[in-house]
PDB file of all heavy atoms in Angstrom:
ATOM      1  N   MET U 461      -0.096 -14.015  20.341  1.00 98.00           N
ATOM      2  CA  MET U 461       0.800 -13.097  19.982  1.00 98.00           C
ATOM      3  C   MET U 461       1.984 -13.788  19.098  1.00 98.00           C
ATOM      4  O   MET U 461       2.084 -14.974  19.027  1.00 98.00           O
ATOM      5  CB  MET U 461       1.520 -12.560  21.225  1.00 98.00           C
ATOM      6  CG  MET U 461       0.583 -11.627  21.909  1.00 98.00           C
ATOM      7  SD  MET U 461       1.197 -11.043  23.472  1.00 98.00           S
ATOM      8  CE  MET U 461       0.134  -9.568  23.510  1.00 98.00           C
ATOM      9  N   MET U 462       2.768 -12.895  18.409  1.00 98.00           N
ATOM     10  CA  MET U 462       3.939 -13.287  17.548  1.00 98.00           C
ATOM     11  C   MET U 462       3.429 -14.196  16.428  1.00 98.00           C
ATOM     12  O   MET U 462       4.224 -15.131  16.033  1.00 98.00           O
ATOM     13  CB  MET U 462       4.948 -13.998  18.459  1.00 98.00           C
ATOM     14  CG  MET U 462       5.342 -13.163  19.628  1.00 98.00           C
ATOM     15  SD  MET U 462       6.377 -11.587  19.200  1.00 98.00           S
ATOM     16  CE  MET U 462       7.926 -12.336  19.051  1.00 98.00           C
ATOM     17  N   ASN U 463       2.323 -14.136  15.963  1.00 98.00           N
ATOM     18  CA  ASN U 463       1.882 -14.932  14.901  1.00 98.00           C
ATOM     19  C   ASN U 463       2.622 -14.715  13.613  1.00 98.00           C
ATOM     20  O   ASN U 463       2.660 -13.628  13.029  1.00 98.00           O
ATOM     21  CB  ASN U 463       0.316 -14.636  14.653  1.00 98.00           C
ATOM     22  CG  ASN U 463      -0.301 -15.607  13.617  1.00 98.00           C
ATOM     23  OD1 ASN U 463      -0.066 -16.708  13.693  1.00 98.00           O
ATOM     24  ND2 ASN U 463      -0.857 -15.094  12.550  1.00 98.00           N
ATOM     25  N   ASN U 464       3.337 -15.740  13.217  1.00 98.00           N
ATOM     26  CA  ASN U 464       4.193 -15.437  12.028  1.00 98.00           C
ATOM     27  C   ASN U 464       4.372 -16.654  11.033  1.00 98.00           C
ATOM     28  O   ASN U 464       5.399 -16.842  10.385  1.00 98.00           O
ATOM     29  CB  ASN U 464       5.659 -15.085  12.428  1.00 98.00           C
ATOM     30  CG  ASN U 464       6.425 -16.214  12.983  1.00 98.00           C
ATOM     31  OD1 ASN U 464       5.794 -17.221  13.496  1.00 98.00           O
ATOM     32  ND2 ASN U 464       7.776 -16.186  12.984  1.00 98.00           N
ATOM     33  N   PRO U 465       3.259 -17.414  10.749  1.00 98.00           N
ATOM     34  CA  PRO U 465       3.448 -18.485   9.779  1.00 98.00           C
ATOM     35  C   PRO U 465       3.508 -17.813   8.373  1.00 98.00           C
ATOM     36  O   PRO U 465       3.277 -16.565   8.248  1.00 98.00           O
ATOM     37  CB  PRO U 465       2.121 -19.277   9.888  1.00 98.00           C
ATOM     38  CG  PRO U 465       1.169 -18.385  10.466  1.00 98.00           C
ATOM     39  CD  PRO U 465       1.907 -17.392  11.323  1.00 98.00           C
ATOM     40  N   TRP U 466       3.860 -18.639   7.309  1.00 98.00           N
ATOM     41  CA  TRP U 466       3.976 -18.122   6.039  1.00 98.00           C
ATOM     42  C   TRP U 466       2.650 -17.357   5.711  1.00 98.00           C
ATOM     43  O   TRP U 466       1.606 -17.728   6.001  1.00 98.00           O
ATOM     44  CB  TRP U 466       3.959 -19.267   4.996  1.00 98.00           C
ATOM     45  CG  TRP U 466       5.148 -20.248   5.223  1.00 98.00           C
ATOM     46  CD1 TRP U 466       6.141 -20.069   5.981  1.00 98.00           C
ATOM     47  CD2 TRP U 466       5.300 -21.514   4.567  1.00 98.00           C
ATOM     48  NE1 TRP U 466       7.003 -21.108   5.871  1.00 98.00           N
ATOM     49  CE2 TRP U 466       6.486 -22.059   4.945  1.00 98.00           C
ATOM     50  CE3 TRP U 466       4.520 -22.164   3.645  1.00 98.00           C
ATOM     51  CZ2 TRP U 466       6.965 -23.324   4.516  1.00 98.00           C
ATOM     52  CZ3 TRP U 466       5.007 -23.534   3.197  1.00 98.00           C
ATOM     53  CH2 TRP U 466       6.138 -23.964   3.747  1.00 98.00           C
ATOM     54  N   PHE U 467       2.843 -16.210   4.970  1.00 98.00           N
ATOM     55  CA  PHE U 467       1.758 -15.342   4.711  1.00 98.00           C
ATOM     56  C   PHE U 467       1.168 -15.825   3.337  1.00 98.00           C
ATOM     57  O   PHE U 467       1.827 -15.904   2.307  1.00 98.00           O
ATOM     58  CB  PHE U 467       2.146 -13.873   4.591  1.00 98.00           C
ATOM     59  CG  PHE U 467       1.127 -12.937   4.560  1.00 98.00           C
ATOM     60  CD1 PHE U 467       0.561 -12.371   5.815  1.00 98.00           C
ATOM     61  CD2 PHE U 467       0.424 -12.420   3.408  1.00 98.00           C
ATOM     62  CE1 PHE U 467      -0.444 -11.428   5.852  1.00 98.00           C
ATOM     63  CE2 PHE U 467      -0.616 -11.538   3.490  1.00 98.00           C
ATOM     64  CZ  PHE U 467      -1.091 -11.010   4.721  1.00 98.00           C
ATOM     65  N   ARG U 468      -0.077 -16.168   3.361  1.00 98.00           N
ATOM     66  CA  ARG U 468      -0.629 -16.821   2.331  1.00 98.00           C
ATOM     67  C   ARG U 468      -1.872 -16.172   1.567  1.00 98.00           C
ATOM     68  O   ARG U 468      -2.756 -15.683   2.334  1.00 98.00           O
ATOM     69  CB  ARG U 468      -1.263 -18.247   2.767  1.00 98.00           C
ATOM     70  CG  ARG U 468      -1.978 -19.065   1.768  1.00 98.00           C
ATOM     71  CD  ARG U 468      -2.339 -20.408   2.357  1.00 98.00           C
ATOM     72  NE  ARG U 468      -2.968 -21.362   1.349  1.00 98.00           N
ATOM     73  CZ  ARG U 468      -4.317 -21.589   1.287  1.00 98.00           C
ATOM     74  NH1 ARG U 468      -5.147 -21.053   2.165  1.00 98.00           N
ATOM     75  NH2 ARG U 468      -4.734 -22.386   0.468  1.00 98.00           N
ATOM     76  N   LEU U 469      -1.812 -16.038   0.362  1.00 98.00           N
ATOM     77  CA  LEU U 469      -3.010 -15.547  -0.386  1.00 98.00           C
ATOM     78  C   LEU U 469      -3.617 -16.635  -1.234  1.00 98.00           C
ATOM     79  O   LEU U 469      -2.789 -17.369  -1.945  1.00 98.00           O
ATOM     80  CB  LEU U 469      -2.528 -14.381  -1.377  1.00 98.00           C
ATOM     81  CG  LEU U 469      -1.768 -13.133  -0.913  1.00 98.00           C
ATOM     82  CD1 LEU U 469      -1.752 -12.143  -1.982  1.00 98.00           C
ATOM     83  CD2 LEU U 469      -2.348 -12.627   0.309  1.00 98.00           C
ATOM     84  N   VAL U 470      -4.837 -16.730  -1.249  1.00 98.00           N
ATOM     85  CA  VAL U 470      -5.516 -17.722  -2.196  1.00 98.00           C
ATOM     86  C   VAL U 470      -5.754 -17.038  -3.460  1.00 98.00           C
ATOM     87  O   VAL U 470      -6.102 -15.807  -3.547  1.00 98.00           O
ATOM     88  CB  VAL U 470      -6.845 -18.233  -1.514  1.00 98.00           C
ATOM     89  CG1 VAL U 470      -7.620 -19.016  -2.473  1.00 98.00           C
ATOM     90  CG2 VAL U 470      -6.493 -18.997  -0.277  1.00 98.00           C
ATOM     91  N   ILE U 471      -5.427 -17.803  -4.563  1.00 98.00           N
ATOM     92  CA  ILE U 471      -5.802 -17.272  -5.962  1.00 98.00           C
ATOM     93  C   ILE U 471      -7.128 -17.710  -6.506  1.00 98.00           C
ATOM     94  O   ILE U 471      -7.230 -19.059  -6.463  1.00 98.00           O
ATOM     95  CB  ILE U 471      -4.666 -17.628  -6.896  1.00 98.00           C
ATOM     96  CG1 ILE U 471      -3.267 -17.124  -6.323  1.00 98.00           C
ATOM     97  CG2 ILE U 471      -4.939 -17.008  -8.241  1.00 98.00           C
ATOM     98  CD1 ILE U 471      -2.073 -17.559  -7.139  1.00 98.00           C
ATOM     99  N   HIS U 472      -8.004 -16.995  -6.737  1.00 97.00           N
ATOM    100  CA  HIS U 472      -9.319 -17.375  -7.343  1.00 97.00           C
ATOM    101  C   HIS U 472      -9.240 -17.022  -8.874  1.00 97.00           C
ATOM    102  O   HIS U 472      -8.969 -15.932  -9.225  1.00 97.00           O
ATOM    103  CB  HIS U 472     -10.504 -16.645  -6.732  1.00 97.00           C
ATOM    104  CG  HIS U 472     -10.669 -16.963  -5.321  1.00 97.00           C
ATOM    105  ND1 HIS U 472     -11.335 -18.168  -4.834  1.00 97.00           N
ATOM    106  CD2 HIS U 472     -10.289 -16.242  -4.124  1.00 97.00           C
ATOM    107  CE1 HIS U 472     -11.360 -18.121  -3.527  1.00 97.00           C
ATOM    108  NE2 HIS U 472     -10.667 -17.027  -3.070  1.00 97.00           N
ATOM    109  N   ARG U 473      -9.586 -17.960  -9.642  1.00 95.00           N
ATOM    110  CA  ARG U 473      -9.662 -17.773 -10.998  1.00 95.00           C
ATOM    111  C   ARG U 473     -11.158 -17.435 -11.393  1.00 95.00           C
ATOM    112  O   ARG U 473     -12.023 -18.358 -11.192  1.00 95.00           O
ATOM    113  CB  ARG U 473      -9.240 -19.040 -11.828  1.00 95.00           C
ATOM    114  CG  ARG U 473      -9.082 -18.684 -13.293  1.00 95.00           C
ATOM    115  CD  ARG U 473      -8.404 -19.843 -14.049  1.00 95.00           C
ATOM    116  NE  ARG U 473      -8.322 -19.469 -15.421  1.00 95.00           N
ATOM    117  CZ  ARG U 473      -7.430 -19.801 -16.233  1.00 95.00           C
ATOM    118  NH1 ARG U 473      -6.522 -20.606 -15.907  1.00 95.00           N
ATOM    119  NH2 ARG U 473      -7.468 -19.330 -17.517  1.00 95.00           N
ATOM    120  N   GLU U 474     -11.424 -16.188 -11.861  1.00 94.00           N
ATOM    121  CA  GLU U 474     -12.817 -15.812 -12.052  1.00 94.00           C
ATOM    122  C   GLU U 474     -12.891 -15.175 -13.413  1.00 94.00           C
ATOM    123  O   GLU U 474     -12.475 -14.104 -13.684  1.00 94.00           O
ATOM    124  CB  GLU U 474     -13.243 -14.752 -11.018  1.00 94.00           C
ATOM    125  CG  GLU U 474     -13.336 -15.352  -9.622  1.00 94.00           C
ATOM    126  CD  GLU U 474     -13.526 -14.351  -8.520  1.00 94.00           C
ATOM    127  OE1 GLU U 474     -13.503 -13.103  -8.771  1.00 94.00           O
ATOM    128  OE2 GLU U 474     -13.846 -14.787  -7.409  1.00 94.00           O
ATOM    129  N   GLY U 475     -13.409 -15.985 -14.418  1.00 89.00           N
ATOM    130  CA  GLY U 475     -13.603 -15.566 -15.778  1.00 89.00           C
ATOM    131  C   GLY U 475     -12.154 -15.311 -16.312  1.00 89.00           C
ATOM    132  O   GLY U 475     -11.265 -16.173 -16.266  1.00 89.00           O
ATOM    133  N   HIS U 476     -11.936 -14.005 -16.904  1.00 91.00           N
ATOM    134  CA  HIS U 476     -10.686 -13.654 -17.334  1.00 91.00           C
ATOM    135  C   HIS U 476      -9.758 -12.916 -16.425  1.00 91.00           C
ATOM    136  O   HIS U 476      -8.908 -12.206 -16.867  1.00 91.00           O
ATOM    137  CB  HIS U 476     -10.852 -12.909 -18.729  1.00 91.00           C
ATOM    138  CG  HIS U 476     -11.427 -13.850 -19.817  1.00 91.00           C
ATOM    139  ND1 HIS U 476     -10.667 -14.778 -20.433  1.00 91.00           N
ATOM    140  CD2 HIS U 476     -12.594 -13.869 -20.380  1.00 91.00           C
ATOM    141  CE1 HIS U 476     -11.383 -15.440 -21.230  1.00 91.00           C
ATOM    142  NE2 HIS U 476     -12.600 -14.904 -21.352  1.00 91.00           N
ATOM    143  N   SER U 477     -10.039 -13.169 -15.111  1.00 94.00           N
ATOM    144  CA  SER U 477      -8.991 -12.545 -14.244  1.00 94.00           C
ATOM    145  C   SER U 477      -8.843 -13.454 -13.044  1.00 94.00           C
ATOM    146  O   SER U 477      -9.451 -14.459 -12.801  1.00 94.00           O
ATOM    147  CB  SER U 477      -9.610 -11.167 -13.781  1.00 94.00           C
ATOM    148  OG  SER U 477     -10.885 -11.407 -13.237  1.00 94.00           O
ATOM    149  N   LEU U 478      -7.730 -12.981 -12.371  1.00 96.00           N
ATOM    150  CA  LEU U 478      -7.336 -13.676 -11.065  1.00 96.00           C
ATOM    151  C   LEU U 478      -7.737 -12.745  -9.906  1.00 96.00           C
ATOM    152  O   LEU U 478      -7.428 -11.589  -9.950  1.00 96.00           O
ATOM    153  CB  LEU U 478      -5.883 -14.103 -11.099  1.00 96.00           C
ATOM    154  CG  LEU U 478      -5.419 -15.024 -12.110  1.00 96.00           C
ATOM    155  CD1 LEU U 478      -3.904 -15.156 -12.028  1.00 96.00           C
ATOM    156  CD2 LEU U 478      -6.186 -16.332 -12.105  1.00 96.00           C
ATOM    157  N   ARG U 479      -8.316 -13.266  -8.866  1.00 97.00           N
ATOM    158  CA  ARG U 479      -8.458 -12.501  -7.710  1.00 97.00           C
ATOM    159  C   ARG U 479      -7.731 -12.970  -6.498  1.00 97.00           C
ATOM    160  O   ARG U 479      -7.648 -14.237  -6.259  1.00 97.00           O
ATOM    161  CB  ARG U 479     -10.032 -12.488  -7.316  1.00 97.00           C
ATOM    162  CG  ARG U 479     -10.416 -11.713  -6.057  1.00 97.00           C
ATOM    163  CD  ARG U 479     -11.863 -11.488  -5.836  1.00 97.00           C
ATOM    164  NE  ARG U 479     -12.494 -12.708  -5.677  1.00 97.00           N
ATOM    165  CZ  ARG U 479     -12.712 -13.371  -4.524  1.00 97.00           C
ATOM    166  NH1 ARG U 479     -12.298 -12.730  -3.390  1.00 97.00           N
ATOM    167  NH2 ARG U 479     -13.409 -14.488  -4.445  1.00 97.00           N
ATOM    168  N   PHE U 480      -7.042 -12.163  -5.740  1.00 98.00           N
ATOM    169  CA  PHE U 480      -6.206 -12.653  -4.575  1.00 98.00           C
ATOM    170  C   PHE U 480      -6.991 -12.357  -3.243  1.00 98.00           C
ATOM    171  O   PHE U 480      -7.518 -11.273  -3.055  1.00 98.00           O
ATOM    172  CB  PHE U 480      -4.940 -11.885  -4.595  1.00 98.00           C
ATOM    173  CG  PHE U 480      -4.083 -12.158  -5.878  1.00 98.00           C
ATOM    174  CD1 PHE U 480      -4.187 -11.338  -7.014  1.00 98.00           C
ATOM    175  CD2 PHE U 480      -3.296 -13.238  -5.908  1.00 98.00           C
ATOM    176  CE1 PHE U 480      -3.456 -11.624  -8.055  1.00 98.00           C
ATOM    177  CE2 PHE U 480      -2.481 -13.513  -6.960  1.00 98.00           C
ATOM    178  CZ  PHE U 480      -2.583 -12.659  -8.156  1.00 98.00           C
ATOM    179  N   GLU U 481      -6.951 -13.422  -2.438  1.00 98.00           N
ATOM    180  CA  GLU U 481      -7.644 -13.329  -1.212  1.00 98.00           C
ATOM    181  C   GLU U 481      -6.745 -13.286  -0.079  1.00 98.00           C
ATOM    182  O   GLU U 481      -5.890 -14.329   0.142  1.00 98.00           O
ATOM    183  CB  GLU U 481      -8.681 -14.404  -1.090  1.00 98.00           C
ATOM    184  CG  GLU U 481      -9.681 -14.275   0.037  1.00 98.00           C
ATOM    185  CD  GLU U 481     -10.604 -15.516   0.090  1.00 98.00           C
ATOM    186  OE1 GLU U 481     -10.215 -16.568  -0.535  1.00 98.00           O
ATOM    187  OE2 GLU U 481     -11.639 -15.399   0.651  1.00 98.00           O
ATOM    188  N   HIS U 482      -6.560 -12.270   0.827  1.00 98.00           N
ATOM    189  CA  HIS U 482      -5.624 -12.319   1.915  1.00 98.00           C
ATOM    190  C   HIS U 482      -6.286 -13.228   2.991  1.00 98.00           C
ATOM    191  O   HIS U 482      -7.403 -13.689   2.896  1.00 98.00           O
ATOM    192  CB  HIS U 482      -5.621 -10.856   2.442  1.00 98.00           C
ATOM    193  CG  HIS U 482      -4.560 -10.080   1.801  1.00 98.00           C
ATOM    194  ND1 HIS U 482      -3.593  -9.299   2.436  1.00 98.00           N
ATOM    195  CD2 HIS U 482      -4.426  -9.798   0.477  1.00 98.00           C
ATOM    196  CE1 HIS U 482      -2.902  -8.643   1.503  1.00 98.00           C
ATOM    197  NE2 HIS U 482      -3.291  -8.919   0.349  1.00 98.00           N
ATOM    198  N   PRO U 483      -5.430 -13.543   4.045  1.00 98.00           N
ATOM    199  CA  PRO U 483      -5.930 -14.440   5.085  1.00 98.00           C
ATOM    200  C   PRO U 483      -7.135 -13.831   5.755  1.00 98.00           C
ATOM    201  O   PRO U 483      -8.114 -14.553   6.166  1.00 98.00           O
ATOM    202  CB  PRO U 483      -4.843 -14.652   6.054  1.00 98.00           C
ATOM    203  CG  PRO U 483      -3.683 -13.833   5.519  1.00 98.00           C
ATOM    204  CD  PRO U 483      -3.990 -13.306   4.165  1.00 98.00           C
TER     205      PRO U 483
END
Side-chain angles (χ1 to χ4, degrees):
M461 290 176 158
M462 306 293 271
N463 186 50
N464 74 334
W466 301 350
F467 195 89
R468 172 175 188 256
L469 306 190
V470 169
I471 304 175
H472 295 278
R473 193 172 176 148
E474 291 172 351
H476 288 290
S477 57
L478 298 179
R479 178 171 64 87
F480 296 92
E481 188 180 23
H482 276 231

